[in-house]
Amino acid sequence: QFLSQYDAMILTSRSEGFPMTVLEAWSYGVPCLVTKGTNMGDVVQTEKIGYLLGDTPQQIACDILNFKKDYIINKQNYGIRSQYYIKENCLWSRIAEQSYKQFSVFLKAKRL
């Protein structure tokens, strides 16, 4: 709930496997600004649930200002898309369903 108080969350990292703080923020509809090292840049860009920041301090500062401009216009959309992404991709029931499908495909291929 702490994260729900804010308009956005920024996570700069050079090596972050699967950042739970990003998932938690999205579950509250809070978009995330991340660097490539967080391993979430593709999701942020594809799903439009945040902003992929540049590599240098200057790029990061510029990207934060660009995000702010876009966020003022699209605040509600960021929140809706963030929560939808979590619902469709990160709930345990959904993960179990996707895992089952992948294992089924793998086992069928092994039988051939």
Side-chain angles (χ1 to χ4, degrees):
Q1 290 177 334
F2 175 77
L3 291 169
S4 68
Q5 301 173 35
Y6 298 96
D7 291 325
M9 189 194 79
I10 301 173
L11 180 62
T12 56
S13 176
R14 292 182 187 220
S15 59
E16 192 85 29
F18 194 71
M20 295 303 290
T21 55
V22 170
L23 300 179
E24 290 170 6
W26 287 337
S27 74
Y28 287 103
V30 176
C32 296
L33 290 75
V34 300
T35 51
K36 294 175 188 171
T38 62
N39 200 28
M40 299 300 284
D42 290 342
V43 173
V44 165
Q45 288 184 306
T46 303
E47 303 296 327
K48 299 178 183 168
I49 52 180
Y51 220 78
L52 180 60
L53 302 172
D55 296 325
T56 67
Q58 295 80 9
Q59 288 174 319
I60 290 171
C62 185
D63 289 339
I64 290 171
L65 293 175
N66 288 334
F67 169 78
K68 181 181 176 185
K69 291 175 191 173
D70 188 55
Y71 182 76
I72 290 169
I73 298 167
N74 295 301
K75 179 179 180 175
Q76 187 175 8
N77 292 332
Y78 277 109
I80 291 169
R81 286 191 302 261
S82 296
Q83 290 180 315
Y84 180 80
Y85 176 79
I86 291 295
K87 180 182 169 189
E88 291 298 310
N89 297 285
C90 299
L91 297 178
W92 282 116
S93 58
R94 188 75 167 142
I95 292 168
E97 178 185 318
Q98 291 170 349
S99 296
Y100 177 80
K101 287 179 183 177
Q102 290 297 321
F103 282 124
S104 295
V105 168
F106 174 75
L107 292 174
K108 286 179 185 175
K110 282 294 196 182
R111 291 183 191 149
L112 298 178

